[in-house]
Amino acid sequence: MKDMKVNGTLIWYYFICKREVWLMSHQLIPDQENSNIDIGRFLHEESYKRDKKEISLGNIIIDVMKKENGELIVGEVKKSSRFKESARMQLLYYLKELKDKGIVAKGVLMFPKEKEREEIELTKEDEKELDKVVRDILRIIYLDKPPKAIKNKYCKKCAYSELCFS
Ligand code: SF4
């Protein structure tokens, strides 16, 4: 397996299902024709923002960037707040990546359909947690086999459900 890097997508999945982190990182893409599918979750969210402004910076893609009262604001637009914790950690990961490049920014999570927004600031604790998460993601993706399937509330709509539970 070639060298794998942690990215925002894997951070997102980490907070949904560890097994899915392994399956995604090993590019086991489920059958997207399957009607039971929610592969969605992330890809869907991504396609939702296709018309939004995006900026690539190394291995990260940022939705919106602007200056507000002299502060740099990075926005992450999501279709729904259903996976809010994943979205929050993904945005914190971007803020940390920027900080490591010498750019200090604040984040805003935006759920336009729900008319909701949440300001996000990277704290020392977040940085420590992200370091732990990144190390754990690397541990997972270098496992020979995916972690065991453990039923969770996302399984029902997960594209991998047949692979995990048939
Ligand atoms: S079906 Fe459940 S256990 Fe399997 S990858 Fe999806 S969320 Fe994870």
Side-chain angles (χ1 to χ4, degrees):
M1 190 168 79
K2 64 178 173 44
D3 259 9
M4 297 278 316
K5 281 206 177 93
V6 173
N7 56 33
T9 314
L10 294 178
I11 298 277
W12 161 275
Y13 278 108
Y14 183 84
F15 289 93
I16 292 174
C17 170
K18 313 281 189 282
R19 180 175 164 89
E20 205 162 351
V21 168
W22 192 96
L23 295 169
M24 287 300 293
S25 63
H26 287 252
Q27 286 165 2
L28 273 166
I29 307 292
D31 176 12
Q32 298 189 33
E33 296 302 311
N34 181 340
S35 56
N36 180 31
I37 255 177
D38 192 18
I39 175 139
R41 297 199 285 270
F42 188 81
L43 300 180
H44 206 86
E45 295 269 344
E46 292 303 294
S47 61
Y48 168 70
K49 53 191 190 189
R50 212 167 277 150
D51 10 323
K52 305 279 181 308
K53 278 206 165 120
E54 289 183 349
I55 297 162
S56 302
L57 196 82
N59 65 337
I60 65 171
I61 298 171
I62 289 164
D63 280 351
V64 182
M65 237 180 177
K66 60 176 180 171
K67 280 240 172 187
E68 233 174 60
N69 304 324
E71 275 182 328
L72 189 63
I73 309 291
V74 171
E76 180 67 18
V77 182
K78 294 291 187 196
K79 195 177 171 196
S80 94
S81 57
R82 190 161 166 235
F83 303 104
K84 195 170 179 179
E85 183 55 12
S86 284
R88 197 180 80 85
M89 293 309 292
Q90 190 189 11
L91 182 52
L92 284 169
Y93 172 75
Y94 292 157
L95 295 180
K96 184 173 180 313
E97 287 280 294
L98 286 171
K99 191 180 168 199
D100 292 346
K101 290 176 170 59
I103 303 166
V104 177
K106 276 190 181 174
V108 185
L109 272 182
M110 290 174 269
F111 308 100
K113 281 200 169 166
E114 298 165 19
K115 295 191 169 53
E116 198 190 320
R117 57 180 265 149
E118 187 177 318
E119 297 197 357
I120 306 277
E121 261 184 82
L122 182 72
T123 65
K124 285 266 169 249
E125 286 69 42
D126 295 326
E127 288 190 60
K128 273 192 220 153
E129 187 182 355
L130 280 164
D131 284 341
K132 268 205 318 216
V133 167
V134 167
R135 278 200 300 274
D136 202 36
I137 289 177
L138 288 171
R139 178 191 66 77
I140 292 168
I141 61 186
Y142 281 102
L143 291 172
D144 291 339
K145 287 188 278 184
K148 265 178 82 176
I150 299 170
K151 267 229 154 68
N152 65 66
K153 62 179 175 176
Y154 304 115
C155 293
K156 219 163 106 194
K157 285 197 163 183
C158 177
Y160 292 112
S161 58
E162 275 187 30
L163 193 103
C164 293
F165 299 108
S166 57

